[in-house]
Amino acid sequence: MTAPFVISRVLDARRDKVWKAWTEPEHLEKWWGPKGFVVTRCKIDLRPGGIMHYCLRSPDGSDMWGRFVFREIVKPERLVWINTFSDEKGGITRHPMMQDWPREMLTRVTFDELSGKTRVTVQWTPVDTSTEIERKTFEDGRGSMQQGWTGTFEQLELYLAL
């Protein structure tokens, strides 16, 4: 079993506000994704079995689609989903720049209340069906995951400060 990638950030916002930023398209569109990326489309069916389907436009203008299939929703404490890259129609695809990246990732996000602030913790783990090559690519990619999630949290912080 591969150890999860874990990253956490304490945000200067109440938990209900942070929860809405993670679960409502009109909020996600303003901050989701690595620094420099922009959400161009986002639809959410927030229920177990429901799907979030989105498109990120990279700084070079190319589009990257993704999708979540929600497994668990405990408002305002926890979201759990299977994360995949996607095509425009919602089908599962490979990572556009790393073909050996795990096809499916289990994502667990927790929201802990801290006296008016919120600690968000993200855990990412390749699903059990990942190949040995995919798990190695995941292990080798921890630095880029750290960079990507750090930029995502920075965008969220800026959005919440508005």
Side-chain angles (χ1 to χ4, degrees):
M1 176 107 180
T2 303
F5 167 81
V6 180
I7 190 167
S8 191
R9 180 73 60 103
V10 174
L11 302 166
D12 191 13
R14 290 185 354 261
R15 185 165 67 166
D16 62 328
K17 183 175 182 179
V18 176
W19 175 267
K20 286 179 182 181
W22 278 81
T23 59
E24 296 178 5
E26 61 271 20
H27 297 292
L28 274 162
E29 289 171 352
K30 295 187 173 64
W31 70 269
W32 176 249
K35 197 178 255 184
F37 285 71
V38 177
V39 176
T40 61
R41 295 201 203 146
C42 183
K43 291 165 82 173
I44 299 176
D45 180 6
L46 190 65
R47 63 180 174 82
I51 293 174
M52 175 173 146
H53 187 230
Y54 63 92
C55 181
L56 292 174
R57 183 152 295 143
S58 71
D60 72 7
S62 59
D63 288 341
M64 186 167 44
W65 291 86
R67 98 178 187 169
F68 303 166
V69 178
F70 293 104
R71 284 193 165 176
E72 186 180 353
I73 298 161
V74 181
K75 181 182 180 181
E77 299 169 14
R78 181 174 56 251
L79 293 168
V80 180
W81 68 79
I82 296 293
N83 189 73
T84 61
F85 286 90
S86 180
D87 58 26
E88 189 173 347
K89 294 179 182 175
I92 296 174
T93 64
R94 286 279 179 192
H95 189 300
M97 295 162 277
M98 281 191 276
Q99 291 300 301
D100 290 332
W101 185 256
R103 198 169 184 77
E104 296 181 312
M105 301 283 290
L106 178 63
T107 305
R108 178 183 173 89
V109 182
T110 56
F111 305 87
D112 296 311
E113 178 120 11
L114 303 171
S115 302
K117 296 185 179 190
T118 306
R119 180 178 51 235
V120 177
T121 303
V122 176
Q123 279 190 9
W124 247 7
T125 312
V127 297
D128 295 339
T129 57
S130 296
T131 68
E132 189 174 322
I133 291 171
E134 290 171 336
R135 287 189 297 275
K136 181 177 181 338
T137 302
F138 176 82
E139 286 300 326
D140 293 346
R142 288 181 182 269
S144 64
M145 289 185 274
Q146 182 77 34
Q147 182 180 2
W149 277 107
T150 296
T152 298
F153 277 135
E154 287 171 4
Q155 292 194 150
L156 176 57
E157 283 178 317
L158 290 171
Y159 176 67
L160 291 170
L162 298 177

